[in-house]
Amino acid sequence: MSGPSNFQPKSPILQWTERRLPVLGLMHSSFVAYPTPRNLNYWWTFGGILSFCLAVQIITGIVLAMHYTPTVAGAFKSVEHIMRDVNYGWLLRYVHANGASMFFIAVYIHIFRGLYYGSYKEPREILWILGVIIFLLMMATAFMGYVLPWGQMSFWGATVITNLFSAIPGVGQKIVELLWGGYSVDQPTLQRFFSLHYLLPFMIAGVVVLHVWALHEVGQNNPAGIDVKSDKDTVPFTPYATAKDNFAMVCFMIFFAWFVFYIPNYLGHADNYIPANPLQTPTHIVPEWYFLPFYAILRAIPSKLGGVLAMFGSIALLAFLPWLDRSKIRSARYRPLFRQFFWIFVITCVGLGWLGAKPAEGGYVIASRILTAWYFLHFLVVLPLLSYYERPKPLPASIAESVLGNQPMAPANVKGSS
Amino acid sequence: MNGEQPTRRDFLYIATGAVGAVGAAAAAWPLIHQMNPDASVQALASTEVDLTPVKEGQIITVKWRGKPVFISHRTKKEIEEAVKTPLRDLPDPQTDESRVKKGKEQWLVVIGVCTHLGCVPLGHQGDYHGWFCPCHGSHYDTSGRIRKGPAPLNLEVPPYEFASDTMVRIG
C-alpha cells in the first residue's frame, strides 16, 4: 500500500510463499515500516479503535446469529433465550449491543478529529468520502440490528424510519411496501433486516480496506496539518504508532467493559424489553442515542418531505466538505476563527442530540430549529466565508519543528503547506 | 487509429455492451421484486368485523393487513363537529360526508396509522377530540382529518362496505 517493500523473511518457507504471494511484505510496509508523522496525538488512535470495534461486532454477531431466530413469534423469545440459557449469552449480547454504542462513540470522535485538523482537505478528499460512506453503512447496520430483538422500540423505530421514504412524492408508498415486503412492518421486514444486518458489516470491512488504502496512498494528516517534508518528520509505524494505538485501545476497552459489566442497559431503552405490539405505539419513542442529532433535525422541519430531506442532507453535506472549506490551512491550531466556530459546531451537534430525546413541543421545537439552521449555516455559509476572510497564524516550517521547537525558525508560510 | 469512422468492431463492442446491460437489468428484476408483498401477504387483504358490541362513543381497533384500523361509533356531537368544520380550516380538505358511507354517518372507519411517520394515534385525544399522535404531535379531528402537526394527510379511509347493518367488511 505504500510502495514496494524491501521486506525479506528469514525463513526459507516464508521466502517461498512471499515470492508467490507477497502478503507479509504488504503487512510489513503497511503496519511496520510505514512512516507516520511524529506529532500524532491520541486523537489519531481512533482509527485502530474503530477496526477493533468492527471486529468485535462481527465476531459477537456471528455467534449471536447461531442462537437468534428471525421470526415475529420467535425473535423476542430467542433474545431472552440468549440472555438466560445460552452459555455466556448475556455477555455476548451485552458486548454486541454496547459495542454498537462504543463504535459510534469512536466514530464520532474520529469524525470530529478530522473536522478539527482539516483531514478532509486536498489530497484526502476520497479518503474522507469513503469515511462518510462507512458512516452511512454503520447507521444502516445499527438501525437494522436494533430492529432484531423485536421489542416495542424495535418495531416502532423500524416503522418510523422506513416511513421516512414515504415522503418521496409519488412512489414513496410503493418504496415503503417494497422495503416492508407487506403493508406494515412484519415478518418479511424482520427477516430481510436480519439478512442485511449480517451482510452490511462485511461491506463496511470492504470499504474500510479502501479507506486504509487511500490513507496509505496520501499519508496521514497530523495535528500541525502540514505535509511530511523529510525523514525527520516521521517515525516508523512499529513500534511508535502500534504502541500508542494499543495503549489507547486498552483504555477504550476498560471504558467498554465498564458499560458491559456495570451499566449494560444504560444506553438502551426500557421499552424494548416489551415485545413488539403493532397496535400500540409507545408514548415516547426515541431512536438510539447516536441517531438523536439527526432525529432532532428531522423533527425541527414542520413539513414531512422537508424534514426527511434536511435529515439526509445533514449527512450528505459532509461528503462535500472538502469543497465547502476552501482554506489551504488544514489544522484548526493555525485558524483562530475556525477553531471557535468548530467548538460552536460541536455544541450545536451535542445540543441537537439532547433535543432529539425531548418531546417535540414548545421551546424544544424552537431550539431544534435554531440549532438545525446553525448546523447548515456552519457548512454552507460560515466555512466558505472563513476560507476567504480568516487570517491564519503562521505555520511551523516542518512537523519536526512543531514538536521539537528548538530548531532555527524558518520564515512563516502563511499561504499554507505545499 | 482513425477515430472518425466507426468500424465493425465498434459496432460489436456497443452491441455486446447493450445486450449485457439488458441481461443484467433482467436478472436484477427478480432480485428486487422478491422484496415486494408476496402472495400470502396479499391474500390476507380482507377482514370482517361485527359492530353490534361497539357502543356509541366507543372506538375499536381491528387489524387489517397488519395495520390497525379504527372503527369509531361517533356520537351526534362528534358528527356535528366534523360536518360543521369549514374546509378552509383543513390542511387536506375533505368533507366529512366523503369519508363515511351515506346513512351510516355514525361509523367512521379509518386506518389507524399516522400519515406522518406511521405511529398509531391515540383515540379521544388532542385539540380536536379525534386522535392525537404521541410521536410527533399530530392532531386529528372526529372525522380523522389532520388539523395540526407535521402529518401531511388525513387518516386514510380503507376500502370497506357494510355486508349488513351490523357487519362491515374491510378490504
Side-chain angles (χ1 to χ4, degrees), chain A residues 208-228:
Chain A
V208 166
V209 169
L210 297 179
H211 191 66
V212 173
W213 186 3
L215 173 73
H216 283 223
E217 191 62 32
V218 296
Q220 284 165 291
N221 187 27
N222 62 83
I226 54 179
D227 289 333
V228 169

Side-chain angles (χ1 to χ4, degrees), chain A residues 184-390:
Chain A
S184 60
V185 173
D186 210 328
Q187 177 62 42
T189 325
L190 174 61
Q191 204 160 342
R192 67 190 51 181
F193 276 20
F194 178 56
S195 166
L196 295 173
H197 182 70
Y198 208 124
L199 165 72
L200 287 184
F202 296 97
M203 291 180 65
I204 292 176
V207 185
V208 166
V209 169
L210 297 179
H211 191 66
V212 173
W213 186 3
L215 173 73
H216 283 223
E217 191 62 32
V218 296
Q220 284 165 291
N221 187 27
N222 62 83
I226 54 179
D227 289 333
V228 169
K229 295 190 179 100
S230 70
D231 289 349
K232 271 200 292 181
D233 289 344
T234 63
V235 289
F237 193 98
T238 301
Y240 296 96
T242 15
K244 197 163 187 158
D245 277 356
N246 279 322
F247 177 70
M249 210 179 290
V250 169
C251 294
F252 188 80
M253 284 178 199
I254 293 170
F255 177 72
F256 194 151
W258 175 54
F259 273 88
V260 170
F261 292 106
Y262 292 93
I263 45 172
N265 287 304
Y266 180 74
L267 296 168
H269 201 292
D271 275 26
N272 220 28
Y273 283 106
I274 303 168
N277 178 357
L279 298 184
Q280 199 197 359
T281 309
T283 47
H284 185 50
I285 65 170
V286 280
E288 290 282 82
W289 69 266
Y290 37 79
F291 292 137
L292 288 174
F294 304 106
Y295 194 59
I297 291 175
L298 168 77
R299 298 194 305 180
I301 312 285
S303 118
K304 179 170 164 178
L305 179 61
V308 172
L309 289 177
M311 189 183 76
F312 285 115
S314 65
I315 303 165
L317 257 188
L318 287 173
F320 296 96
L321 189 52
W323 296 278
L324 292 169
D325 178 3
R326 307 292 302 180
S327 171
K328 292 266 185 286
I329 312 296
R330 295 198 189 100
S331 172
R333 273 191 191 171
Y334 307 105
R335 299 185 64 193
L337 283 175
F338 172 81
R339 183 147 82 169
Q340 291 175 26
F341 280 109
F342 171 83
W343 287 110
I344 294 172
F345 180 70
V346 172
I347 293 165
T348 304
C349 293
V350 173
L352 281 169
W354 180 74
L355 288 164
K358 296 287 164 194
E361 57 194 30
Y364 296 130
V365 176
I366 295 163
S368 303
R369 285 185 187 157
I370 294 169
L371 293 188
T372 299
W374 185 258
Y375 183 99
F376 285 97
L377 284 174
H378 177 82
F379 285 115
L380 297 173
V381 177
V382 174
L383 290 184
L385 288 183
L386 275 186
S387 320
Y388 291 102
Y389 292 108
E390 184 179 44

Side-chain angles (χ1 to χ4, degrees), chain A residues 85-257:
Chain A
D85 302 336
V86 175
N87 302 326
Y88 289 111
W90 59 272
L91 177 64
L92 296 166
R93 173 164 174 265
Y94 277 156
V95 167
H96 195 73
N98 284 283
S101 284
M102 296 301 128
F103 208 157
F104 275 95
I105 289 173
V107 89
Y108 282 130
I109 293 174
H110 193 65
I111 292 171
F112 279 111
R113 195 285 322 275
L115 291 175
Y116 186 86
Y117 292 110
S119 298
Y120 46 85
K121 291 186 187 177
E122 197 276 330
R124 300 189 178 82
E125 298 94 330
I126 301 265
L127 172 61
W128 174 260
I129 291 169
L130 287 167
V132 175
I133 293 170
I134 294 171
F135 179 52
L136 284 170
L137 288 171
M138 277 176 65
M139 291 172 94
T141 312
F143 159 64
M144 289 195 254
Y146 194 58
V147 174
L148 302 183
W150 210 242
Q152 273 289 67
M153 282 293 162
S154 301
F155 183 90
W156 291 102
T159 300
V160 168
I161 301 296
T162 49
N163 262 306
L164 293 178
F165 294 93
S166 72
I168 301 166
V171 292
Q173 199 54 40
K174 280 282 158 214
I175 291 177
V176 173
E177 281 171 16
L178 177 79
L179 293 175
W180 286 341
Y183 304 106
S184 60
V185 173
D186 210 328
Q187 177 62 42
T189 325
L190 174 61
Q191 204 160 342
R192 67 190 51 181
F193 276 20
F194 178 56
S195 166
L196 295 173
H197 182 70
Y198 208 124
L199 165 72
L200 287 184
F202 296 97
M203 291 180 65
I204 292 176
V207 185
V208 166
V209 169
L210 297 179
H211 191 66
V212 173
W213 186 3
L215 173 73
H216 283 223
E217 191 62 32
V218 296
Q220 284 165 291
N221 187 27
N222 62 83
I226 54 179
D227 289 333
V228 169
K229 295 190 179 100
S230 70
D231 289 349
K232 271 200 292 181
D233 289 344
T234 63
V235 289
F237 193 98
T238 301
Y240 296 96
T242 15
K244 197 163 187 158
D245 277 356
N246 279 322
F247 177 70
M249 210 179 290
V250 169
C251 294
F252 188 80
M253 284 178 199
I254 293 170
F255 177 72
F256 194 151

Side-chain angles (χ1 to χ4, degrees), chain A residues 59-97:
Chain A
I59 294 165
T60 52
I62 287 171
V63 293
L64 284 170
M66 295 177 185
H67 304 279
Y68 170 78
T69 316
T71 65
V72 169
F76 190 89
K77 275 190 216 157
S78 74
V79 172
E80 286 309 303
H81 161 71
I82 288 169
M83 292 300 287
R84 290 152 199 265
D85 302 336
V86 175
N87 302 326
Y88 289 111
W90 59 272
L91 177 64
L92 296 166
R93 173 164 174 265
Y94 277 156
V95 167
H96 195 73

